[in-house]
């Protein structure tokens, strides 16, 4: 036993003294810095900054629209039909109102939403009724317009929500909407009221609208029994999952914790820190895979081709122990690197995106939402990612012992890592049989499938759709068998064959 | 004093269908330096690789200090050291680091590493990376490596390759010393007959994998050269 331990320690020394290992550590750190850069860039591209919104001079834009609409109306040569005329008239009114009350259409919050959609439609209806002579209807609509404009003028957010609730009740009583629809919409309105979502414009809280949208569609899923993203009937398991998801979403609203991606139909980015965590996670995984594949893929074959294995073979260590020590040491390096780099990524995140923005991972157990500590989670997350890396590492080590050629083993392993999932996507599109779930490549992307709490529900549904909705336990079994077979193959090959 | 520490019994080895080593038997006593001779392709390296456990033994048995290489691999390897063809150490490490790896595996004090490097004449360049060594320096480092754990049996395949006259003399002195003082059994293969004549107590000649002749060199009749050419001529006459 102690001899084996010494063998491992020698193996460790050998790997650490290599220049290529040092270079790869450096690249790993670079990758972290790069992901910080990319995060900052993504945020810049997707978000308007405050100054940029100010620069978009909305008042003169609105004025220009009004002028052109007036011009069109006064020009008798173009025979405008009735509906276009109504629309132009409504537009002039609404835009003038926006200018007077300083409502910027580039800012998304309740006032701009209400004015440019609901009030607009009603105003249009007013003109339509006027031209058709429907006085009762006209009065009705005019009342509505006035009421909504009042709320806007007086900055009465809660009043507006209550008004919406009343309307909802009215249309429910009139039998226009079904019970479950009423329930869902009322629920959403209550959430809006409670967390004051959209009360004022704040670009850091845009994600809350995405969360609301998601809760809306999840609630509908629960009510109708049909998943609104995949359009499949809910099973007992997916029902539970949907329920838990709503709990997490509400927890986010309550504690102001933005996810990395929000939204149902249109996805938008959440908090910068979360985006960094997500990007750095995938970067780490990528670079670490390449690094481990190179370490494992060269470990045996380079010793055989250079001849250094000869010295090891005539030390009092059986051959399988030599190979086992390589496997053990590579795995150990993988684990140590994963833990260190997770901590390092926390540090970089804290420096660039603020320590107070770091948030733990949310999950539901026994019906309650729990939060895992941020640092702990980032280690756990990357360790789960390391399982996947381990599979490719064993693959590289196996090729290294069987083919005895560094280029072949490293090249093939990296090709499998980069190309495998893409090829599987194509295969999965055409082959609809059941057996494709036994293909190892269909059982990867473990982190994305296990830690679904951070990405939007629709995104996670899409991911599991691509990988074929295979249960995680099954995936672990397939990968485990795969690793076992590869290990048996390499030990068998290494023990039996001569070292020439 | 004359106990047998390396015993080769009826050993055969096939590469594919060709029999490269054919029913070979001989042994080496402790304290003896045995020259292992034969023309190119005779099967010397193949035999040495089998002794060191690099190649599987198809037939027969090899015993080192009484332990069978096939059955008691780890024990047998405790007592043996050697170089096959060109000794290869890790180029990206210094000679000291290379030897320390092996010292660790075999539970040897690190002080031994410096001592042995000094003995083979590498004390000036022992902290240099192996990739910057010349061929002869690599040979010396390889020799140091195979002597590190004071083996009972030392196997050297063409150790004189690339050594300068000083190195060859140094090698000869070391071999003589460890054979006499430490009772080490040494098996050397080389094509430099004059050198073998100076070093060896006895020679074994093989040809085409078969045992041909063994002869004591102390007070021998005829030179090593004449013995060697006799053998190769016999081989040719057979054809
Ligand atoms: N890996 C191998 N595969 C097939 N044949 C081999 C292999 N290695 C050696 N041989 C053959 O085995 C025979 C013996 O080779 P070996 O290297 O033992 O000779 P040698 O006595 O060491 O010769 P030299 O004096 O040139 O070093 C040769 O005919 C060679 O062609
Ligand atoms: Mg040879």
């Amino acid at each position: 036993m102690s001899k084996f331990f010494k063998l491992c320690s020698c193996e460790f020394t050998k790997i650490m003294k290599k220049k290529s290992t040092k270079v790869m550590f450096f690249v790993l750190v670079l990758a972290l810095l790069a992901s910080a850069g990319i995060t900052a860039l993504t945020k810049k591209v997707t978000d308007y900054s405050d100054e940029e919104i100010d620069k978009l001079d909305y008042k003169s834009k609105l004025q220009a629209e009004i002028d052109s609409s007036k011009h069109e109306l006064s020009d008798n040569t173009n025979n405008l039909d009735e509906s276009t005329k109504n629309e132009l008239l409504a537009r002039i009114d609404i835009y003038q109102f926006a200018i007077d009350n300083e409502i910027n259409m580039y800012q998304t919050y309740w006032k701009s939403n209400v004015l440019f959609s609901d009030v607009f439609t009603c105003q249009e209806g007013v003109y339509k009724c006027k031209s058709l002579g429907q006085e009762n209807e006209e009065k009705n609509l005019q009342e509505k317009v006035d009421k909504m404009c009042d709320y806007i003028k007086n900055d009465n957010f809660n009043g507006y929500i209550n008004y919406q609730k009343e309307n909802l009740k009215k249309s429910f009583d009139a039998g226009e909407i079904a019970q479950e629809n009423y329930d869902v919409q009322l629920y959403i309105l209550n959430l809006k009221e409670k967390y004051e979502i959209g009360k004022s414009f704040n670009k850091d809280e845009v994600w809350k609208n995405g969360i609301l949208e998601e809760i809306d569609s999840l609630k509908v899923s629960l009510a109708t029994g049909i998943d609104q993203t995949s359009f499949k009937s809910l099973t007992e398991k997916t029902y539970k999952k949907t329920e838990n998801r709503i709990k997490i979403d509400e927890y986010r609203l309550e504690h102001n914790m933005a996810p990395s991606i929000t939204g149902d139909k249109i996805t938008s980015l959440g908090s910068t820190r979360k985006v960094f965590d997500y990007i750095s996670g995938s970067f780490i995984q990528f670079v670490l895979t390449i690094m481990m594949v190179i370490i494992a893929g060269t470990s045996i074959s380079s010793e055989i081709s250079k001849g250094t294995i000869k010295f090891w073979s005539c030390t009092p260590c059986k051959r399988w122990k030599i190979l086992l020590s390589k496997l053990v040491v590579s795995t150990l390096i993988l684990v140590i690197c994963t833990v260190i780099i997770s901590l390092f990524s926390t540090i970089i995140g804290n420096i660039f995106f603020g320590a107070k923005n770091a948030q733990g991972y949310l999950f539901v157990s026994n019906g309650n939402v729990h939060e895992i500590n941020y640092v702990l989670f980032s280690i756990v997350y990357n360790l789960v990612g390391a399982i996947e890396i381990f599979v490719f590492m064993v693959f590289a080590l196996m090729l290294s012992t069987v083919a005895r050629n560094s280029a072949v083993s490293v090249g093939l392993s990296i090709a499998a890592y980069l190309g495998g999932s893409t090829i599987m996507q194509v295969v999965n599109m055409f082959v609809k049989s059941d057996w494709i779930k036994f293909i190892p490549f269909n059982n990867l992307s473990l982190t994305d499938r296990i830690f679904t709490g951070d990405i939007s529900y629709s995104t996670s549904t899409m991911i599991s759709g691509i990988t074929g909705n295979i249960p995680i336990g099954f995936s672990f079994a397939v990968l485990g068998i795969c690793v076992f077979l590869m290990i048996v193959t390499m030990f068998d090959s290494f023990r039996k064959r001569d070292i020439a | 004093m004359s106990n047998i520490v390396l015993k080769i019994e009826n050993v055969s080895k096939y590469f594919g269908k060709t029999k490269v080593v054919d029913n070979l038997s001989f042994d080496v006593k402790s304290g003896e330096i045995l020259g292992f001779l034969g023309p190119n392709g005779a099967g010397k390296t193949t035999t040495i690789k089998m002794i060191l456990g690099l190649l599987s033994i198809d037939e027969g048995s090899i015993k080192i200090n009484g332990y069978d290489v096939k059955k008691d691999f780890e024990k047998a390897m405790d007592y043996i050291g050697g170089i096959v063809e060109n000794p290869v150490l890790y180029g990206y490490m210094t000679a000291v680091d290379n030897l320390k790896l092996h010292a660790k595996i075999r539970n040897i004090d690190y002080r031994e590493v410096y001592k042995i490097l000094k003995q083979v004449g590498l004390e000036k360049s022992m902290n240099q990376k192996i990739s910057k060594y010349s061929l002869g320096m690599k040979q010396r480092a390889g020799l140091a490596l195979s002597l590190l754990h004071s083996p009972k049996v030392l196997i050297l395949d063409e150790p004189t390759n690339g050594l300068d006259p000083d190195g060859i003399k140094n090698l000869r002195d070391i071999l003589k010393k460890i054979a006499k003082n430490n009772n080490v059994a040494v098996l050397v293969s080389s094509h430099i007959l004059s050198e073998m004549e100076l070093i060896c107590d006895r020679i074994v000649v093989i040809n085409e994998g078969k045992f041909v002749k063994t002869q004591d060199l102390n007070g021998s009749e005829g030179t090593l050269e004449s013995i060697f050419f006799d053998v190769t001529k016999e081989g040719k006459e057979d054809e």
Side-chain angles (χ1 to χ4, degrees):
Chain A
M1 193 58 225
S2 77
K3 203 192 276 170
F4 180 70
F5 179 75
K6 278 177 187 156
L7 205 54
C8 288
S9 127
C10 285
E11 191 60 38
F12 192 76
T13 319
K14 275 193 280 182
I15 292 177
M16 286 305 160
K17 283 221 163 111
K18 269 188 197 164
K19 219 185 222 152
S20 57
T21 316
K22 287 172 198 157
V23 170
M24 282 185 289
F25 282 134
F26 182 66
V27 172
L28 210 51
V29 174
L30 271 190
L32 271 183
L33 292 174
S35 44
I38 289 176
T39 310
L41 213 67
T42 331
K43 262 311 210 195
K44 218 180 162 83
V45 172
T46 51
D47 280 6
Y48 283 121
S49 69
D50 289 332
E51 303 101 73
E52 272 167 333
I53 289 178
D54 285 344
K55 245 188 251 159
L56 297 167
D57 186 2
Y58 72 98
K59 277 190 185 170
S60 58
K61 243 205 175 113
L62 287 174
Q63 192 59 55
E65 286 278 329
I66 292 173
D67 290 346
S68 86
S69 300
K70 275 183 181 163
H71 181 77
E72 226 172 305
L73 277 175
S74 60
D75 193 351
N76 289 325
T77 51
N78 44 9
N79 275 323
L80 294 172
D81 61 32
E82 212 50 48
S83 70
T84 323
K85 233 184 234 171
N86 291 337
E87 196 196 323
L88 288 174
L89 285 169
R91 184 180 291 168
I92 294 169
D93 290 348
I94 299 296
Y95 284 11
Q96 193 57 53
F97 183 85
I99 294 175
D100 295 344
N101 291 285
E102 304 201 314
I103 294 166
N104 187 343
M105 72 274 198
Y106 294 115
Q107 297 178 337
T108 42
Y109 67 124
W110 76 280
K111 282 190 201 172
S112 57
N113 287 345
V114 173
L115 185 66
F116 293 106
S117 63
D118 292 2
V119 181
F120 197 119
T121 347
C122 287
Q123 186 71 5
E124 221 180 321
V126 168
Y127 282 111
K128 192 178 157 204
C129 294
K130 209 181 250 170
S131 62
L132 294 175
Q134 300 168 332
E135 278 182 30
N136 272 347
E137 185 72 15
E138 185 196 332
K139 227 173 93 191
N140 223 339
L141 282 171
Q142 188 61 53
E143 230 168 64
K144 264 192 187 173
V145 170
D146 290 345
K147 218 166 192 174
M148 286 195 273
C149 287
D150 260 0
Y151 290 128
I152 294 176
K153 255 189 232 158
N154 299 332
D155 204 3
N156 190 352
F157 177 69
N158 288 349
Y160 173 68
I161 297 273
N162 281 329
Y163 170 68
Q164 277 200 312
K165 280 186 195 167
E166 277 166 30
N167 281 344
L168 191 64
K169 185 95 176 80
K170 261 186 224 157
S171 47
F172 175 59
D173 290 340
E176 284 165 17
I177 53 173
Q179 171 80 44
E180 54 256 25
N181 219 332
Y182 172 73
D183 289 344
V184 171
Q185 291 195 27
L186 187 63
Y187 192 85
I188 298 294
L189 281 176
N190 281 332
L191 282 180
K192 260 193 195 170
E193 190 177 17
K194 191 170 172 195
Y195 300 115
E196 305 190 324
I197 297 166
K199 189 176 179 188
S200 56
F201 173 67
N202 181 352
K203 71 177 166 50
D204 289 332
E205 290 190 355
V206 175
W207 61 271
K208 288 185 178 170
N209 292 315
I211 291 273
L212 267 191
E213 227 174 73
E214 186 172 291
I215 294 179
D216 192 346
S217 108
L218 293 177
K219 280 273 175 191
V220 174
S221 301
L222 289 183
T224 55
I226 292 169
D227 191 310
Q228 295 299 301
T229 29
S230 65
F231 298 107
K232 283 183 187 138
S233 325
L234 291 178
T235 60
E236 202 176 319
K237 221 167 117 199
T238 45
Y239 191 90
K240 190 101 202 127
K241 207 171 129 195
T242 311
E243 268 186 340
N244 288 346
R245 185 64 194 212
I246 293 174
K247 278 189 185 134
I248 290 180
D249 280 349
E250 281 179 31
Y251 190 92
R252 287 192 182 284
L253 290 178
E254 195 180 333
H255 295 85
N256 202 12
M257 292 168 67
S260 53
I261 302 172
T262 64
D264 183 39
K265 308 286 178 309
I266 308 157
T267 51
S268 60
L269 295 175
S271 93
T272 320
R273 181 64 195 261
K274 267 287 170 201
V275 174
F276 168 73
D277 289 344
Y278 193 73
I279 293 181
S280 73
S282 27
F283 257 60
I284 289 172
Q285 177 130 358
F286 178 76
V287 178
L288 211 52
T289 309
I290 305 282
M291 174 174 153
M292 290 320 298
V293 159
I294 290 175
I295 288 180
T298 54
S299 66
I300 283 279
S301 47
S302 80
E303 292 220 33
I304 292 177
S305 66
K306 283 193 191 127
T308 41
I309 193 76
K310 281 186 215 162
F311 275 122
W312 289 104
S313 293
C314 56
T315 50
C317 305
K318 284 193 176 148
R319 284 220 202 146
W320 63 266
K321 283 189 189 165
I322 294 172
L323 187 54
L324 185 65
S325 75
K326 283 183 188 288
L327 183 61
V328 168
V329 168
S330 317
T331 313
L332 216 65
I333 289 180
L334 173 60
V335 172
I336 293 172
C337 279
T338 307
V339 173
I340 291 179
I341 212 73
S342 305
L343 296 175
F344 204 74
S345 129
T346 309
I347 294 171
I348 288 194
N350 283 352
I351 292 174
F352 289 104
F353 305 108
K356 64 177 194 309
N357 294 330
Q359 46 163 276
Y361 178 74
L362 300 177
F363 69 101
V364 178
S365 101
N366 296 327
N368 288 319
V369 178
H370 298 273
E371 192 175 336
I372 310 179
N373 170 276
Y374 174 81
V375 179
L376 187 68
F377 172 69
S378 97
I379 293 175
V380 170
Y381 180 90
N382 287 324
L383 280 179
V384 171
I387 295 174
E388 216 168 303
I389 303 178
F390 177 73
V391 175
F392 283 101
M393 190 193 83
V394 173
F395 183 61
L397 194 57
M398 180 196 71
L399 285 180
S400 182
T401 38
V402 174
R404 301 190 169 190
N405 181 315
S406 306
V408 168
S409 45
V410 173
L412 271 182
S413 310
I414 290 181
Y417 172 64
L418 297 180
S421 53
T422 320
I423 291 172
M424 278 335 290
Q425 277 180 33
V426 177
V427 171
N428 292 353
M429 265 196 302
F430 295 109
V431 185
K432 286 288 170 226
S433 331
D434 209 32
W435 55 264
I436 54 168
K437 70 175 184 212
F438 290 100
I439 299 173
F441 290 113
N442 276 333
N443 292 289
L444 297 171
S445 329
L446 294 172
T447 44
D448 282 345
R449 284 158 58 202
I450 293 178
F451 304 110
T452 50
D454 275 343
I455 43 181
S456 71
Y457 184 80
S458 55
T459 314
S460 82
T461 317
M462 195 187 75
I463 289 172
S464 63
I466 290 171
T467 50
N469 286 313
I470 301 171
I472 288 293
F474 182 85
S475 292
F476 274 118
V478 169
L479 293 182
I481 291 170
C482 212
V483 166
F484 177 75
L485 289 180
M486 290 194 285
I487 289 180
V488 168
T489 311
M490 74 192 185
F491 274 94
D492 193 55
S493 150
F494 191 59
R495 194 177 51 84
K496 273 193 194 146
R497 281 167 62 182
D498 291 332
I499 298 170
Chain B
M1 246 315 71
S2 64
N3 53 326
I4 291 163
V5 281
L6 174 62
K7 192 169 181 65
I8 294 167
E9 263 181 316
N10 308 324
V11 166
S12 299
K13 172 79 190 172
Y14 297 85
F15 278 129
K17 281 204 174 111
T18 46
K19 206 169 191 177
V20 177
V21 176
D22 190 356
N23 206 18
L24 189 65
S25 306
F26 64 91
D27 22 63
V28 191
K29 298 180 202 76
S30 58
E32 178 184 45
I33 302 179
L34 180 70
F36 194 32
L37 303 182
N40 290 136
K44 302 181 297 293
T45 302
T46 309
T47 310
I48 285 173
K49 280 182 177 171
M50 281 192 286
I51 298 171
L52 290 172
L54 297 176
L55 293 181
S56 59
I57 300 160
D58 290 341
E59 283 162 23
S61 73
I62 295 176
K63 285 199 176 94
I64 297 164
N65 205 24
Y67 296 106
D68 194 297
V69 172
K70 259 197 233 169
K71 289 173 203 142
D72 255 331
F73 183 79
E74 295 199 351
K75 283 226 176 78
M77 289 303 128
D78 263 337
Y79 298 100
I80 199 164
I83 319 177
V84 192
E85 290 171 333
N86 299 319
V88 202
L89 289 84
Y90 296 100
Y92 57 88
M93 286 190 223
T94 63
V96 173
D97 288 340
N98 264 291
L99 261 69
K100 274 183 179 170
L101 285 183
H102 288 261
K104 191 182 257 169
I105 287 285
R106 300 200 191 241
N107 279 325
I108 295 163
D109 197 278
Y110 281 169
R111 269 171 298 184
E112 204 66 29
V113 170
Y114 296 99
K115 219 159 84 188
I116 209 89
L117 281 170
K118 201 170 163 195
Q119 207 177 344
V120 297
L122 281 179
E123 70 262 58
K124 273 191 200 132
S125 47
M126 64 185 179
N127 284 319
Q128 208 173 317
K129 291 222 169 97
I130 295 284
S131 56
K132 303 220 169 87
Y133 272 24
S134 69
L135 179 60
M137 285 159 92
K138 281 183 196 159
Q139 279 293 1
R140 287 173 194 237
L143 181 65
L145 190 53
S146 51
L147 287 173
L148 183 63
H149 56 291
S150 354
K152 279 205 157 144
V153 181
L154 181 65
I155 314 267
L156 302 174
D157 190 15
E158 314 205 13
T160 48
N161 244 355
L163 285 186
D164 58 11
D166 192 50
I168 293 179
K169 186 181 175 304
N170 188 250
L171 173 73
R172 187 200 313 150
D173 292 344
I174 291 173
L175 292 188
K176 290 235 174 206
K177 201 177 89 194
I178 60 169
K180 190 177 262 170
N181 300 351
N182 307 355
N183 248 323
V184 176
V186 185
L187 181 70
V188 204
S189 100
S190 172
H191 291 296
I192 303 175
L193 297 176
S194 56
E195 194 51 45
M196 294 295 266
E197 223 158 21
L198 288 175
I199 297 178
C200 301
D201 303 322
R202 185 163 70 97
I203 55 154
V204 164
V205 187
I206 65 167
N207 195 10
E208 292 175 350
K210 291 190 193 75
F211 178 86
V212 177
K213 189 172 193 170
T214 176
Q215 180 153 15
D216 277 320
L217 288 187
N218 302 336
S220 63
E221 70 279 5
T223 58
L224 201 48
E225 206 163 327
S226 64
I227 300 170
F228 189 82
F229 284 122
D230 277 353
V231 169
T232 41
K233 229 179 269 156
E234 274 169 33
K236 281 199 184 110
E237 278 162 12
D238 282 351
E239 282 161 19

